[in-house]
Every structure is written in C-alpha cells, then in structure tokens.
Amino acid sequence: PEECLGSCLMFLAALSFAYFAKALSGSYMKSTITQLERRFDIPSYLIGIIDGSFEIGNLLVIAFVSYFGAKMHRPKIIALGCVLMSFGTFLIAMPHFLIGSYKIHTAVRPSLNSSSVLTPCSPGPPESSMTGCERESSVSMWIYVFLGNVLRGIGETPVQPLGISYIDDYARSENAAFYIGCVQTISVVGPVFGYLLGSLCAKIYVDVGNVDMETVTITPGDARWVGAWWLGYIITGVVTLMSAVPFWFLPKSLPVPLEKHDSSSSPEQARFIKDSPRMQHKFRQEEPADLHQMAKDFIPTFKSLLGNPVYIVYLCVTIIQFNSLIGMVTYKPKYIEQHYGLSASKANFLMGIINIPAVALGMFSGGLLMKNCKMGIMGAAKFAFGTSLLGYFLSLFFFAMGCENAKVAGVTVSYTGVESLSYQERSLFSECNLGCSCSRREWDPVCGRNGITYVSPCLAGCTTTSGSGKNTVFENCRCVAVPDALPVNLTASLGQCPRGDSCEHVFPYFLALSVLSSFIISLGGTPGFMLLIRCIKPELKSLALGIHTLATRTLAGIPAPIYFGAIIDSTCLKWGYKTCGGRGACRIYNTSAYRIVYLGLTLGLRTASFFLCILGFAVLKKHIKMEEKSTLPKGNAEQETLKKDENNSRQCEQFILALNCNSDRETRL
C-alpha cells in the first residue's frame, strides 16, 4: 500500500540523515587528529586511544541494544542514540573553553613597535619559560575528548543494526537492496563534508577571536599550527541533534509485505543459522516485547548464533580486515601531511573532495548493479571478491610513490648537507653554532638560502634579524654558509623549506591511484552487505549484525589505531616538548620509514586475511557436505528441496568468502 511505502520512505530518509550525521562527526574526528596531537602535546599512540574510545562506547552496550532493541520501538531507540551522540560531540569541544590560550615559543618579534632586540645566537644561558606550567599540568584536558568520544560510541550503537534490520523487515525484497545501498551511500557522503569541514577549521587559528592574528607568526603548514578544531565539533553536534527529531514521530512497526507473510526465513538463511527446536517461531516482529522471555532466551540465541562455524570464520576474517581498514583510514590524512609536505587543511580537503566521492560512487554503483542486473548470490560473491582482489594489487603500487626526507640540519642531513639519519640531540650542534646557547628541545624552524631547514634560528647560527612578524628575516646565519661559496646571503626565513620537485610530481599519481583503488573496492560494498544479511534468519538478524559489529570494534576498532599510532611514533626523528618538560607531539618523521611501516602494516594484514579465506572455504565445504548427508535419506520431494538449498548454500559460501575478503565495504579511503 501507498501508506506503507510512504512510511518506509520516511524512515529511509530519517535513517539516511542519521547515517550522514554520524559519518560527519566520525570523519571530522579523523580529520582533527593532527590538531589534537599538537594542542594537547600528545603522541600518536595516545591519539589512537582517543580514537578507539568510540569503539569502547559501542562495546559497552551493543550486544544488548541489538538484541533487546530489535523487539522494542526501534525508531525511538535510534532517536535516543542520536541525542547521546550530539551530547558526546559537544563534550569533545569543551576543553577549548577550559584550557588557556595556545602558546608558541618562537624567536620572532611580534611587531616593529616592540622594543625587544632579538639575537638568536646569544652567549648567555638559554631561556626556559615555565609560564603556565602549573595550570597546564594540573589536568589532562584530552580526557574530556576521550569521554566525549565514548559517549558518541554509545549513542551510535543502535543506528546501524536497528536501522538496517527495520528496512529489511518492512521493505519489499526487491527494494531492500536498493534502499540499503542508498543508506550506505549517504554514509559515505557524510565524510566528504566531514573532511571539508576539517579543512576549513584547520585554516582558522585555534584561538581566533581571542588573539590578535597579527601576533601569530606561524602558517597552517607549520608543524606547530593548531586550527580551530573545537568549532567543527559544535557544528557536527548540532547536526546530530537535528537527526534525532524525525525518529520520534515514526511508528514502531509497518505492514509486512505480502511476500514475507508465508515464511520466516529463506532457504539459505535457514541453512546457515540454525535455531534450536525451542527457539523456532518464538518471536515475531509484531508481537509485544516480553522482557523476561527475551532475557531467558538470550543465551540460547547467542549460542545458536556463535555455534555456527561459518559465522565464526567470517568474524575472524573481518576482524583482520578491519584492523587494516581502520588503521589506514585513521592515519591517512596524517600520512599525506607528513609524506608529501601538505598542510592539514589541504590534506583534509583532498580527502573530502577527491577520495571519498569515489567511494560513494562505487558503493552506489554496486547497489544499482545488484538491483538492475538482478545479481544473484553467486554473481554478487564473484563480483565482490574480484573488486577486493584487484584493489589490493593496485594498492601495492603505493610503495613506489615515495618522497625523500626533508633536509633538516642535524636531523636528516649534516650541517654540510650530507644525508644522515643517525639523529641524536648532540647532532644538532656544529662548529657554526657552538658559541650559541641554543636549546636542544625547541622547534622553531627556519629555511636557509641553501635549501636546508634548521631546527631554530639559534641552531642556524643567526646573530641578527630584520623585519617583524611573518616578515622576519634572520641574518648573518653562520650555518647557512655553503662550502666553496662566497659568504653572502647567509639569511634564513620562517618555516620549513618546501619539498623538492620530485615529490610534487609523485603526488598527483598517488591521488589518482588512491581514487581508482577506492572506487574499485567500493563497487563490491553494497552487494557484500546484502549477502551478509541474507544468510541470517530474520529473528537473529539484529543480534548477528550487532555481534559482528561488537567483535570487529573490540578487536579491531580499539587496538588498531593504538598500535598503528605506536608504530608511526617509532619513525619520529624530532619530538616537541611540553612547557613543563616531558615529550609532546612529534615535529618531523623519517618519511621513508613512515611509508614502509604504514603501508606495510596495512597491506600485510590484508594479505593474512586472504590466507584465512582459504581456510574459511574449506570449513564451508565441509559444512555443506555434512548438511547433504543429514538430509539425503528424506525422500524425493525433500531431495528436490535439498538441491535448491544446496545451490543457495554454495552461493552463501562464495558470498562469505568474498565478503570476508572485502571488509572495506563501508569506507575505503
């Protein structure tokens, strides 16, 4: 009926908006990891803990929300989740209003009217300012970000399992794939705006409105720059709060389509996820919720789901795949920043405007192909597996698209320009700056006329300055002298020297390959997702999706950002230091080592999952043979049914193999 179709489309629109909102805030979180590192002076592994706190929130409630929520008023539970997500997002922004202004230690004179005389290379002891030390060390403000992200994770829990199962229950079978494809596509469009918002906020200085911008002498490309990270969280919090409104006015249930009246499960669903006799026909979606009975049957249902070896193998493969996916996505903007020398704003802009639309187009095209071509389970399985494997081989070419390390005196090259990566703090000193009382820990880079970056004007041996603010020029820099050249133009300007032309030539190829591989892998996303829910009995659908999400987020979503961040930290060459001492955020990385560990870990995990797929195929084959033996003696009529079920089972077999090898189905960046 038209009324049913209208309500279903209303729910589809509301769920799409909710998916957009959660994807918007989630991608914005990814876009701000560099800003958070610098603002709170924390290393990458700690950022990984903050990022993984979202999964911790999911872990706390997802199993119960997926099971009990499926029997309750699903739209209202989703609405409550959206409200919690918005409150968590607002909490993340709170530290900005509690912490003091962001301070940068620099040798730059703020204005021409200043009476101070700057002599970077001075014979006296180096100055060490402890201003604000006691206040900043009294509380770790990143804890608020951690707790806010946990609350976001709790609020996001009901959106996917309850929303997808609601559509699949009440939409016509031929439309369900297309509807879910639309929702998944919208969920990928959300990160486009999330990264664009991150790009915009990264251009705005963190304390805009509270400081005179003329006194800010660094640019967005500086390793110390912090953008207005808090502003985006306020915007995304408002959008998420708005997404909760439509769900309060949607009904608990809709009329079930006619083709779903006669059977509670399809042959392939009944074959792979079995119920015990006492569980058969226990619940229907239209029955009122009985909390006592649901609690009593939870353990048997849970055992029935996890007792299937096919489902267990599926979980193992997707856990490995999600470790690769989540680690790669979390640190990809930072990889672009550090490896190709782009600012955080430009890296986020490219992610949002070029890379993610390719993912959205791929997922939408996959859903459209499945609907228009009437793709069966076997066809969808082959299609998903092929796209995943092709995308994997294309990703191997990223290893060849590297850049040389930036030339930083005493860090990556010697003061004579010879390449050297045996960095130690004493290597920052040379004959040209021995007479200067320079700090080993500060990071105030200047670019010499010889194309080499120096950690500070003092370590460059500069004795005088001219100009002020961003126009400051350091003069008489003894370390800038080029061997066998006249001692002229011994000057240095603010900031790091730009990367070489070779890096600029490689970057467009990196972007093109990234877009192509993302599109190819995403083509199999929607068919893979539909194949998953078609191999689960309807009454176990929400629980199975919930347990799958629980397992992948617990064993991948939480640990992956942490150990990816720790490995990235191991490639740091020069750390920043906090006001009161102690290691802060990394200022410069060994880009060659960064590329190897980042790409190597990402693709190594995917390689391991492909080998596990072979084991999974053997388990599936054995499972099908056991089913054939148990059903053969039951007569001709049942043998005919067996043949049909066998075909469906084999289709499910191929699907699970392909889906496991294509867990990048949601967001491959």
Side-chain angles (χ1 to χ4, degrees):
E2 293 184 3
E3 182 180 353
C4 173
L5 179 61
S7 298
C8 193
L9 291 177
M10 286 179 61
F11 182 85
L12 176 65
L15 185 65
S16 298
F17 188 27
Y19 262 68
F20 172 82
K22 77 183 184 70
L24 176 71
S25 59
S27 58
Y28 183 76
M29 164 63 78
K30 302 287 186 186
S31 75
T32 58
I33 62 170
T34 303
Q35 314 298 315
L36 296 175
E37 278 186 28
R38 297 171 181 173
R39 184 63 185 96
F40 299 110
D41 264 330
I42 54 180
S44 293
Y45 84 89
L46 200 51
I47 282 292
I49 294 176
I50 293 174
D51 187 75
S53 64
F54 178 84
E55 319 299 345
I56 294 175
N58 271 265
L59 170 64
L60 295 175
V61 297
I62 191 167
F64 297 98
V65 167
S66 299
Y67 182 73
F68 293 106
K71 314 299 179 182
M72 298 179 182
H73 199 303
R74 284 179 279 185
K76 287 188 177 179
I77 294 177
I78 295 174
L80 181 61
C82 292
V83 172
L84 290 177
M85 273 197 294
S86 67
F87 288 168
T89 308
F90 292 138
L91 182 60
I92 293 174
M94 184 180 295
H96 172 74
F97 303 98
L98 301 178
I99 199 172
S101 59
Y102 180 55
K103 294 180 175 60
I104 303 170
H105 299 285
T106 178
V108 178
R109 189 168 39 181
S111 67
L112 286 171
N113 297 328
S114 175
S115 59
S116 62
V117 178
L118 294 178
T119 54
C121 177
S122 58
E127 298 180 359
S128 59
S129 175
M130 299 295 285
T131 306
C133 174
E134 182 178 352
R135 174 169 49 81
E136 290 183 5
S137 62
S138 62
V139 62
S140 297
M141 287 294 174
W142 62 265
I143 293 294
Y144 290 96
V145 182
F146 178 89
L147 295 177
N149 215 26
V150 170
L151 191 57
R152 274 189 61 242
I154 294 175
E156 191 265 353
T157 303
V159 177
Q160 177 175 339
L162 301 188
I164 296 298
S165 63
Y166 192 95
I167 289 178
D168 195 62
D169 284 340
Y170 300 118
R172 294 176 63 88
S173 298
E174 62 268 23
N175 292 331
F178 180 71
Y179 289 164
I180 294 176
C182 290
V183 172
Q184 295 291 336
T185 301
I186 293 296
S187 73
V188 182
V189 172
V192 174
F193 292 90
Y195 279 104
L196 290 180
L197 180 61
S199 174
L200 176 63
C201 293
K203 288 182 180 178
I204 305 172
Y205 188 65
V206 59
D207 293 319
V208 63
N210 295 327
V211 298
D212 182 5
M213 292 304 296
E214 293 296 325
T215 64
V216 180
T217 59
I218 60 174
T219 63
D222 195 287
R224 296 164 294 173
W225 175 272
V226 176
W229 60 273
W230 53 273
L231 180 60
Y233 286 110
I234 294 177
I235 295 173
T236 57
V238 171
V239 173
T240 307
L241 190 61
M242 292 171 57
S243 71
V245 176
F247 290 104
W248 294 109
F249 304 99
L250 288 167
K252 177 182 178 181
S253 60
L254 299 173
V256 180
L258 293 176
E259 68 270 16
K260 296 185 178 181
H261 282 180
D262 298 330
S263 61
S264 61
S265 63
S266 62
E268 65 268 30
Q269 289 171 330
R271 189 175 183 85
F272 274 82
I273 306 293
K274 290 185 174 295
D275 254 341
S276 61
R278 63 185 298 271
M279 293 293 300
Q280 290 180 356
H281 309 296
K282 178 68 69 176
F283 294 114
R284 292 285 183 240
Q285 294 293 340
E286 306 304 323
E287 292 181 0
D290 184 347
L291 294 179
H292 175 73
Q293 187 63 41
M294 286 191 296
K296 182 179 178 181
D297 289 325
F298 177 75
I299 298 300
T301 305
F302 188 73
K303 288 182 178 179
S304 173
L305 184 64
L306 296 187
N308 191 297
V310 175
Y311 192 71
I312 295 299
V313 172
Y314 167 76
L315 284 179
C316 292
V317 176
T318 51
I319 285 169
I320 297 176
Q321 284 277 358
F322 269 68
N323 271 273
S324 173
L325 173 67
I326 293 171
M328 182 273 298
V329 171
T330 301
Y331 294 102
K332 188 166 187 178
K334 182 173 180 175
Y335 176 78
I336 295 175
E337 290 176 49
Q338 297 296 331
H339 203 74
Y340 296 101
L342 274 67
S343 67
S345 176
K346 289 181 180 178
N348 290 329
F349 177 80
L350 291 173
M351 288 284 289
I353 205 66
I354 296 178
N355 209 169
I356 297 179
V359 178
L361 180 61
M363 296 195 72
F364 180 77
S365 300
L368 205 60
L369 282 171
M370 190 173 183
K371 177 178 173 64
N372 293 341
C373 300
K374 301 187 183 301
M375 193 181 296
I377 294 179
M378 178 66 76
K382 291 179 178 179
F383 185 73
F385 179 77
T387 55
S388 177
L389 198 60
L390 179 57
Y392 170 80
F393 285 122
L394 286 175
S395 298
L396 294 175
F397 288 98
F398 286 126
F399 281 104
M401 298 180 178
C403 292
E404 297 179 354
N405 286 291
K407 293 183 178 180
V408 181
V411 180
T412 61
V413 297
S414 67
Y415 277 84
T416 59
V418 179
E419 184 175 353
S420 173
L421 287 174
S422 57
Y423 166 71
Q424 296 176 350
E425 284 193 347
R426 64 175 179 270
S427 65
L428 292 174
F429 297 98
S430 180
E431 292 182 1
C432 58
N433 58 29
L434 283 180
C436 309
S437 300
C438 306
S439 171
R440 301 177 179 181
R441 296 189 168 189
E442 69 179 355
W443 177 261
D444 188 16
V446 293
C447 178
R449 290 293 296 269
N450 57 358
I452 296 177
T453 299
Y454 297 86
V455 172
S456 68
C458 182
L459 289 170
C462 304
T463 57
T464 60
T465 61
S466 63
S468 64
K470 296 179 180 179
N471 298 318
T472 300
V473 176
F474 297 91
E475 300 172 335
N476 299 320
C477 304
R478 294 193 295 267
C479 296
V480 179
V482 179
D484 302 325
L486 295 176
V488 296
N489 293 329
L490 305 184
T491 61
S493 56
L494 291 176
Q496 290 183 242
C497 296
R499 295 295 182 102
D501 293 338
S502 61
C503 192
E504 293 180 359
H505 294 157
V506 168
F507 186 64
Y509 294 102
F510 170 84
L511 278 183
L513 184 61
S514 181
V515 169
L516 180 61
S517 61
S518 298
F519 174 77
I520 290 175
I521 292 175
S522 300
L523 277 173
T526 301
F529 194 81
M530 284 305 302
L531 289 166
L532 168 62
I533 63 175
R534 285 290 180 256
C535 286
I536 299 172
K537 289 182 71 67
E539 58 266 34
L540 297 178
K541 195 180 304 172
S542 292
L543 179 62
L545 290 172
I547 295 299
H548 167 256
T549 306
L550 170 68
T552 53
R553 287 181 170 174
T554 303
L555 301 177
I558 295 175
I562 299 174
Y563 67 75
F564 263 81
I567 290 177
I568 290 172
D569 284 338
S570 70
T571 67
C572 182
L573 293 174
K574 181 69 173 71
W575 290 94
Y577 288 87
K578 300 179 182 179
T579 305
C580 304
R583 197 170 72 176
C586 184
R587 300 307 187 191
I588 185 172
Y589 292 87
N590 178 350
T591 54
S592 298
Y594 193 142
R595 180 178 75 255
I596 293 172
V597 300
Y598 173 74
L599 296 177
L601 188 56
T602 299
L603 296 177
L605 287 168
R606 295 185 63 191
T607 303
S609 70
F610 285 137
F611 283 108
L612 191 57
C613 283
I614 300 174
L615 174 63
F617 182 80
V619 171
L620 289 170
K621 190 174 182 180
K622 181 179 179 180
H623 181 76
I624 292 174
K625 288 182 178 179
M626 292 176 62
E627 290 295 321
E628 290 175 349
K629 291 180 181 179
S630 63
T631 53
L632 275 176
K634 293 189 176 181
N636 295 333
E638 294 187 357
Q639 286 179 5
E640 291 297 323
T641 304
L642 171 62
K643 291 180 181 178
K644 295 179 181 179
D645 288 352
E646 180 182 349
N647 291 334
N648 289 329
S649 298
R650 287 178 177 170
Q651 290 171 341
C652 279
E653 168 190 342
Q654 295 293 329
F655 137 63
I656 294 177
L657 179 62
L659 184 60
N660 283 345
C661 299
N662 188 33
S663 66
D664 303 23
R665 61 185 179 275
E666 292 191 38
T667 308
R668 173 69 183 178
L669 304 181

